[in-house]
Every structure is written in C-alpha cells, then in structure tokens.
Amino acid sequence: MSTKTHYDVIILGAGAAGLFCAIEAGQRGRRVMVIDHAAKPAEKVRISGGGRCNFTNLHAAPDNFVSGNPHFCKSALSRFTQYDFLERVEARGISWHEKTLGQLFCDNTSRDIVDLLVVGAKAQGAEIWLNSDVNTVSRDGAGYRVETYVGSYTCASLVLATGGLSIPKMGATGLAYDIARQFGLNIIEPRAGLVPFTFHENALEPIKALAGVGVQARASCNGMSFDEGALFTHRGLSGPAILQISSYWRDGDDVVIDLALGEDVFGKLKALRGESPKQILSNALATVLPKRLAAQIGQETFGDMRMADLSDAKLQSIAARVHEWRIRPDGTEGWRTAEVTLGGVDTAELSSRTMEASKAPGLYVIGEAVDVTGWLGGFNFQWAWSSAWAAGQVV
Ligand SMILES: Cc1cc2nc3c(=O)[nH]c(=O)nc-3n(C[C@H](O)[C@H](O)[C@H](O)COP(=O)(O)OP(=O)(O)OC[C@H]3O[C@@H](n4cnc5c(N)ncnc54)[C@H](O)[C@@H]3O)c2cc1C
C-alpha cells in the first residue's frame, strides 16, 4: 500500500469511469489514488463488446440514455463527446472500425482500451491500488477519509466510480450506493438493464423449441421500439432488440414483437395463395420467416391448411401473429447477465456540470453508479468517459 496518507483525489473503482477520471485529474497536476477491490483494473472493459470493446457510438446523444431526468446527461455528453474520445483512441494509435449503427469497436482487442486507461492514468502520476477493500468512508475536515484494511487515507475530493450491480461474479457491488446513502443522497432503485427476458414454463416451451432461431425484429414496450436482431434461446428471448427493450420494461408489461421486420406478411401470403393454392401454410410462411418459426406459427394458427383454404381474414390474423406477437415476460435473467444497471444515484443530487453532490461538497459520482443508463451500442462507455471527464476537470 501507499506510504502517502493524503491525496488530492481518491477515486473508488478502477473501471472505465474511475480510470478516465484519474487521467483527467492527473493531467491537472492533482495527486490521485484509485482504489479497487478487484485483482485487475477495468475488467468490464476487457470483456466488453465480445472482447473488442464497443468503446463509443458515433450517434451518441441524450436520447440514447434512460434516466429519471433525461436532461441531466446533456452537459457532460456535449462537453466531452464521442469525437473527443475517438481522438484519444487515435492518439494512442489504436485501430478501430464501425460495426453497425455507429458502434465503434477496436480492430484488435479491448486490451487496447484497458491500456489506454491504465497506462494513461499511471502516466499522469495516478496510483492504482488493486485487491483493496474499502472499509469505511467518513468526513475529515473539508474532505474525506477512506479506511481500507491496510491503511487510512484522506483526500479533498472523493469520487465514487464503483459502477452498478450487474454481474456480481465480476465483483460488482453496491458500494457507491451505500456511500451515497451515508451522505444523505437519494438512490433510484437499481434494476437490471440490457438483459434477456425469461418466461414461465408454459410460455417458455414454444420459445425453447426455437432455441437458436434469430430474426430481424422490432421490439416495442412502453412507447419505445428497437429494430435489431432477436434470438430465441433455451432460457427465453435475447438478442440486441430484446436487450434494448428490456431497459424500458417493467414487471407485468407486455412486449410486442414484429418477427418479420420490413416484410408485408399479409400481402406475401395473399400473393402466394394466388400463385400456389396447394402450398401449405407453414411452407408459405417460410418465405418470410426462418423455417422452424414458420412451422411453429403455422401449427399454432391454422395447422397445415392449404393456402387456397385460407380467407383474407385468416391471412390477416396470421400476419398479426407475425407482426404483433404479444408476450408477457415472467422476468429477466437479472444481475447475473445484465450488461448494465438502471437507476442508481439520483441525478437530482448531483451537478450535471461537475457530478458533485450538492449535499456533500467534495463528493463526486460518475459512470454507471449514476442514474444515467445508455442503450446497447457503446453508449454506456460514452457516459463513463463524459461523466468522468466532467468530474476530472474540477476534483
Ligand atoms: C458483458 C458486458 C459487456 C459490455 N459491453 C459494453 C460495450 O461494448 N460498450 C459499452 O458502452 N458498454 C458495455 N458494457 C457496459 C459497461 O461495461 C459499463 O457501463 C461500464 O463499464 C461502466 O463503467 P464504470 O466505470 O462506471 O463501472 P465499472 O466499469 O463496472 O467499474 C467499476 C469498478 O469498481 C470496482 N468495485 C466495485 N465494487 C467495489 C468495492 N466494493 N470496492 C472496491 N472496488 C469496487 C469494480 O471492481 C470495477 O473495477 C458491458 C457490460 C457488460 C457486463
């Protein structure tokens, strides 16, 4: 552990936000210590984006975030943008590519971004203490005192960057919420976001039977819609469209899924009825849907009737089953697989310009610990960079 006992800035959490804040504060000449209980820094960055880290999104804008106050993220996002982060990536010589929908990934591995953060923070003089559990945090004069099992440290600014509750196996804890509560800050109840849906046994059976089938879909719930892939799995529904809509879903809500996005199923079936009247329904449906899904919907609606025997009304009802499949998830896979945590430290408690808590001067909250949650596609890292940058200019 450190021989120093006082720092200008102590940052709890050596993840995306904590390390980026250390770079910014270090650049200003601040003496920075970063404390993390994990054995390695930035583990979520390392595993992110399938190992290639979707580090930002070219289209990042406030609309891509879920928050109790949709205006809160505007200031930080506009002062440190996706282009600003891209500049840092390029300055380090990291090669990257746009995959789809503005999502930027490393050409090589996410290790490039981990190095940008760790090497960058150390180059600015920040000390990074790993395997270090935080015991207690208290006020100390105008600043704060952090007690760990191996030492007691004081600082003028304390930054909470320990993220949310997603994936406890990777060391996620509610430390930021506990400390925030200790200083009187309100917490918006954390919920799992960007997470697959699960179903009761009866509803799960037909879904399970389609495990491995994927479609281009539109998933809608509570006035939001996402057009991306959806995937049937042994446990329920997954894929980008499902993960996205899960962040807008609440217990008991229905989700409506268009299983053949961009197709006119009624028009297609009607045309096929004229062209091949002896064709059975499942085969006709297989022209717009994967074969197994077509067979299941065929069986579920009008068995294996011939197209000639299906009225317009019947074709309409089949089309509605495809374009407006209404399901009610039983729940989600929860913290075990959620990519993010919705909720967190209430934005009403923080300055949108600096991330400082109004009730606790010198205390800052950044990254996923704050009630600002991005869509899938690089938005969560952009929030980590932008909020960390905002705090990094003033801590
Ligand atoms: C599988 C997966 C893939 C993802 N892929 C992407 C992607 O490609 N693009 C994207 O934008 N987002 C992605 N995300 C989301 C993104 O990883 C997070 O939003 C982002 O890492 C949040 O940054 P953070 O610094 O706030 O928190 P984190 O990166 O989670 O860092 C928090 C740090 O705090 C430490 N910590 C926690 N509790 C304690 C404690 N009690 N004491 C000490 N230290 C503690 C942790 O060990 C960790 O190092 C992904 C998430 C997951 C789970």
Side-chain angles (χ1 to χ4, degrees), residues 19 23 41-42 113-123 128:
L19 291 171
I23 293 174
I113 303 293
V114 175
D115 288 348
L116 179 156
L117 295 168
V118 175
V119 175
K122 286 183 176 166
I128 302 173

Side-chain angles (χ1 to χ4, degrees), residues 12-19 35-57 104-105 129-130 132-134 160-164 166-167 170-176 194 335-341 366-370 372-385 387:
L12 304 185
L19 291 171
I35 300 178
D36 201 297
H37 67 167
K40 290 180 185 165
E43 274 294 88
K44 276 197 184 162
V45 176
R46 185 181 60 78
I47 63 152
S48 68
R52 288 239 163 102
C53 187
N54 178 192
F55 56 81
T56 192
N57 192 298
L104 304 192
F105 286 77
W129 294 99
L130 301 171
S132 303
D133 283 312
V134 176
L160 306 182
T162 51
S166 315
I167 321 217
M170 292 193 68
T173 72
L175 183 68
L194 298 180
W335 300 120
R336 190 177 61 80
T337 62
E339 273 198 25
V340 281
T341 302
I366 59 175
E368 203 175 312
V370 181
V372 173
T373 308
W375 291 358
L376 189 76
F379 301 101
N380 284 295
F381 280 136
Q382 187 55 46
W383 172 247
W385 317 136
S387 58

Side-chain angles (χ1 to χ4, degrees), residues 133-182:
D133 283 312
V134 176
N135 198 357
T136 61
V137 168
S138 54
R139 280 231 75 131
D140 187 274
Y144 292 86
R145 176 174 293 277
V146 177
E147 304 270 357
T148 73
Y149 288 102
V150 286
S152 177
Y153 307 94
T154 53
C155 58
S157 298
L158 178 65
V159 182
L160 306 182
T162 51
L165 295 174
S166 315
I167 321 217
K169 243 190 182 169
M170 292 193 68
T173 72
L175 183 68
Y177 311 144
D178 295 343
I179 297 173
R181 274 194 201 98
Q182 179 190 335

Side-chain angles (χ1 to χ4, degrees), residues 139-292:
R139 280 231 75 131
D140 187 274
Y144 292 86
R145 176 174 293 277
V146 177
E147 304 270 357
T148 73
Y149 288 102
V150 286
S152 177
Y153 307 94
T154 53
C155 58
S157 298
L158 178 65
V159 182
L160 306 182
T162 51
L165 295 174
S166 315
I167 321 217
K169 243 190 182 169
M170 292 193 68
T173 72
L175 183 68
Y177 311 144
D178 295 343
I179 297 173
R181 274 194 201 98
Q182 179 190 335
F183 291 102
L185 276 55
N186 184 46
I187 304 296
I188 306 291
E189 195 195 342
R191 290 185 294 126
L194 298 180
V195 63
F197 285 132
T198 55
F199 295 86
H200 271 306
E201 225 168 279
N202 285 349
L204 182 61
E205 274 315 308
I207 291 173
K208 231 161 103 175
L210 295 172
V213 170
V215 290
Q216 266 308 108
R218 169 172 298 160
S220 309
C221 183
N222 288 323
M224 279 304 294
S225 288
F226 291 93
D227 294 357
E228 285 185 66
L231 181 68
F232 292 82
T233 75
H234 287 287
R235 287 194 293 267
L237 289 176
S238 189
I242 301 298
L243 300 186
Q244 298 277 35
I245 207 66
S246 74
S247 294
Y248 290 85
W249 178 84
R250 297 280 185 158
D251 250 346
D253 287 341
D254 283 352
V255 177
V256 177
I257 304 179
D258 180 346
L259 294 164
L261 188 63
E263 297 281 357
D264 170 11
V265 169
F266 174 69
K268 190 93 185 215
L269 292 178
K270 203 170 164 181
L272 283 172
R273 186 177 60 189
E275 289 158 21
S276 347
K278 288 186 183 159
Q279 190 174 39
I280 60 165
L281 173 61
S282 324
N283 291 345
L285 274 173
T287 61
V288 284
L289 291 172
K291 219 170 161 192
R292 282 158 65 201

Side-chain angles (χ1 to χ4, degrees), residues 60-76:
D63 285 354
N64 307 119
F65 295 84
V66 184
S67 171
N69 175 3
H71 303 293
F72 179 82
C73 61
K74 287 181 178 171
S75 169

